[in-house]
């Protein structure tokens, strides 16, 4: 299994400004402000091989999204190394992002006022996809995701479930080698979630695309991932099979996976 | 290894070039979609067009009175007929230079969707340049057509006059095309500055307003004090509407045409470089807010 992603000791901090409180707080805030350093990532290292599906979990504000942003070339870390397909994302951003696909559950990549088909045509130019390949790939994605009926609709008129299916197609049109999914099932109904999971699994089997997904939905992890990474307080806390977590934190037989995760967060003092 | 390295550099160059071609094609595609999209807001165009016409009529009335009762009428740089044309064309060109940054880009900056934009294999500056330029041009067409059309249909002294000559008209059109790039480039510089600011639009609005005032959109530049005229001619914002309109009414001698266009393009280039520089700095420290 060839290695595709390698993160070594990634560090990233943010500066947060705080307003003083107490008497005349608003007035004093105009002249002085207190800067606080927040260590979002404090030495995260892991490796991911070709064709793996890895789930990334952790409480809110743990650093999951920051990790994904570093890997997609949006954020430059303070220190550490990150090699993805042999490139450092933030140094060769354009070459890097043409090889990856990104789906953000809470943000849309489709053009809001434009029909889905027009968005796809634009993506063809953006990623410089050859005509033949584009025709083949889009036909395939439109069929498996069942979005043929939505192509003429502007993105703003789609329901969330419909939109997520179109987002997935949009992210996979250029046949990326790696797909990052940031909370892809957030807000979806049960049927849409199941469809999405089935699609991701099938896509991974068929085209061998490597996937890293962050989520709070443990069912996503159980359905898709053999390997899970836990990030908390900017550190990597666990990396391995989900069964390992079960063995360590399940107090009793047959305990719900959410309870196990909650027990783990409590144990690591990660509760937010 | 040495040979491989040489080939690597050549490969890198061809790759960069093909990347550039694709980016350009994608930006043209974006431009097309966005400008067609803005064309559909016809009611908005109709109302803003009538505002332009209304303003033009008020200004013409004011300047007519002003010219009639001025003590040194013969000292004026432009005749009253030239001034009437200046006002109509000025009102036509003003919407090409909005006083705020592009709504879509501003929304992306505020919501943190800049991150999504960075996931595209495109140069962010030119990607956004194409988007904001298209937004301007789409809104501009209808409004310009209405203002020009009514200006040409007005009776006698209120009418938009014919261009001074065919050459004057051509220079006017060339100058309008380059002013479009100029104001889009300045808009991008302001957008790049806004990229690092999390608190409101004051500074960007002030930057845009300086451009608006110095363009002659509020008070035509020929009416400003004589000692300022030299400065007003070389400063970048004369290119917004003063210079193109002067070509139309024949207030710039043909000998200075090339230098004037070069001046506009020079400022455009400077704004592009400055905008790219600021944007690169901002992106290094950018924080994408939220989940």
């Amino acid at each position: 299994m060839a290695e595709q992603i390698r993160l070594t000791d990634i560090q990233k901090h943010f500066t947060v400004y705080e307003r003083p409180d107490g008497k005349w707080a608003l007035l004093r805030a105009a002249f002085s402000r207190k800067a606080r350093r927040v260590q979002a990532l404090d030495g995260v290292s892991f490796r991911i091989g070709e064709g793996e599906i890895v789930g990334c979990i952790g409480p809110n504000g743990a650093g999951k999204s920051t990790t994904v942003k570093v890997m997609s070339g949006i954020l430059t870390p303070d220190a550490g190394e990150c090699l993805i397909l042999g490139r450092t994302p933030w140094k060769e951003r354009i070459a890097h992002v043409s090889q990856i696909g990104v789906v953000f559950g809470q943000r849309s990549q489709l053009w809001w006022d434009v029909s889905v088909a027009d968005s796809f045509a634009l993506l063809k130019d953006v990623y410089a996809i050859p005509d033949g390949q584009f025709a083949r790939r889009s036909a395939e994605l439109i069929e498996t995701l069942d979005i043929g009926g939505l192509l003429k609709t502007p993105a703003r008129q789609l329901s969330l479930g419909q939109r997520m299916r179109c987002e997935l197609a949009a992210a996979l049109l250029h046949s990326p080698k790696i797909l990052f999914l940031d909370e892809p099932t957030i807000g979806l109904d049960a049927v849409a979630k199941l469809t999405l999971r089935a699609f991701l699994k099938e896509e991974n089997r068929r085209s061998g695309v490597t996937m890293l997904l962050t989520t709070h939905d443990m069912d996503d992890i159980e359905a898709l991932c053999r390997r899970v990474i836990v990030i908390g307080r900017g550190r990597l806390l666990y990396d391995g099979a989900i069964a390992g977590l079960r063995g360590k934190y399940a107090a009793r037989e047959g305990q719900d996976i959410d309870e196990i995760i909650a027990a783990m967060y409590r144990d690591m003092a990660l509760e937010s | 290894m040495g040979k491989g390295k040489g080939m690597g550099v050549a490969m890198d160059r061809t790759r960069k070039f093909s990347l550039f071609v694709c980016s350009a094609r994608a930006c043209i595609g974006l431009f097309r979609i966005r400008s067609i999209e803005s064309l559909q807001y016809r009611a908005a165009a109709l109302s803003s067009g009538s505002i332009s016409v209304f303003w033009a009529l008020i200004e013409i009335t004011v300047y007519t009175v002003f010219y009639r009762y001025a003590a040194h009428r013969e000292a004026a740089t432009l005749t009253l007929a030239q001034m009437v044309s200046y006002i109509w064309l000025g009102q036509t060109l003003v919407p090409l230079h909005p006083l705020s940054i592009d709504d879509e880009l501003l929304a992306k900056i505020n919501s943190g969707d800049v991150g999504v934009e960075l996931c595209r294999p495109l140069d962010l500056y030119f990607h956004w340049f194409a988007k904001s330029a298209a937004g301007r041009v789409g809104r501009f067409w209808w409004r310009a057509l209405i203002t020009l059309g009514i200006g040409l249909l007005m009776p006698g002294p209120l009418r938009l006059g014919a261009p001074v000559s065919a050459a004057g008209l051509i220079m006017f059109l060339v100058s309008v095309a380059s002013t479009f790039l100029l104001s889009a480039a300045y808009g991008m510089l302001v957008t790049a500055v806004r990229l690092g600011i999390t608190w409101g639009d004051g500074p960007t609005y002030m930057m845009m307003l300086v451009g608006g005032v110095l363009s002659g959109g509020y008070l035509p530049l020929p009416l400003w004090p004589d000692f300022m005229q030299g400065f007003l001619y070389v400063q970048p914002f004369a290119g917004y509407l003063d210079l193109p309109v002067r070509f139309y009414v024949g207030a710039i001698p043909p000998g200075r045409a090339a230098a004037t266009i070069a001046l506009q393009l020079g400022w455009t280039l400077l704004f592009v470089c400055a905008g790219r520089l600021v944007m690169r700095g901002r992106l290094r420290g950018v924080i994408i807010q939220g989940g």
Side-chain angles (χ1 to χ4, degrees), chain A residues 32-180:
Chain A
S32 75
R33 54 179 188 176
K34 217 165 67 192
R36 190 165 56 94
R37 193 185 155 93
V38 175
Q39 196 70 33
L41 294 181
D42 193 8
V44 170
S45 315
F46 58 81
R47 294 168 181 210
I48 295 175
E50 192 179 343
E52 275 192 87
I53 305 186
V54 178
C56 181
I57 58 173
N60 288 322
K64 299 184 303 294
S65 290
T66 309
T67 312
V68 172
K69 282 168 191 165
V70 166
M71 286 192 287
S72 36
I74 300 173
L75 279 181
T76 309
D78 304 334
E81 246 182 78
C82 171
L83 271 184
I84 294 177
L85 301 167
R87 291 196 189 88
T88 305
W90 58 92
K91 284 187 187 145
E92 298 173 74
R93 181 180 70 80
I94 293 183
H96 168 68
V97 295
S98 59
Q99 298 289 319
I100 63 165
V102 186
V103 175
F104 295 99
Q106 310 203 49
R107 306 185 193 282
S108 178
Q109 329 199 43
L110 300 166
W111 280 268
W112 200 237
D113 282 327
V114 170
S115 73
V116 176
D118 278 350
S119 271
F120 286 2
L122 209 52
L123 287 170
K124 173 182 177 298
D125 281 337
V126 169
Y127 288 97
I129 310 168
D131 291 333
Q133 193 190 327
F134 176 76
R136 214 169 38 243
R137 185 73 174 144
S138 58
E140 184 184 292
L141 287 168
I142 287 166
E143 204 205 306
T144 39
L145 284 164
D146 189 24
I147 51 174
L150 309 174
L151 291 177
K152 295 262 176 284
T153 321
R156 57 163 189 256
Q157 289 173 11
L158 299 174
S159 74
L160 186 60
Q162 292 172 331
R163 209 197 75 207
M164 277 317 289
R165 280 186 281 150
C166 295
E167 299 267 356
L168 267 179
L172 289 167
L173 270 179
H174 60 292
S175 316
K177 298 200 173 68
I178 302 177
L179 183 64
F180 294 122

Side-chain angles (χ1 to χ4, degrees), chain B residues 171-172 174-182 233-244 247 257-271:
Chain B
M171 289 314 293
F172 167 73
V174 172
S175 183
V176 167
S178 72
T179 200
F180 170 60
L181 295 177
L182 172 69
Y233 173 74
V234 294
Q235 52 93 18
F237 307 108
Y240 271 19
L241 62 86
D242 186 68
L243 298 180
F247 278 123
T260 306
I261 300 280
L263 189 69
Q264 280 183 316
L265 292 177
W267 279 116
T268 308
L269 205 65
L270 201 77
F271 285 148

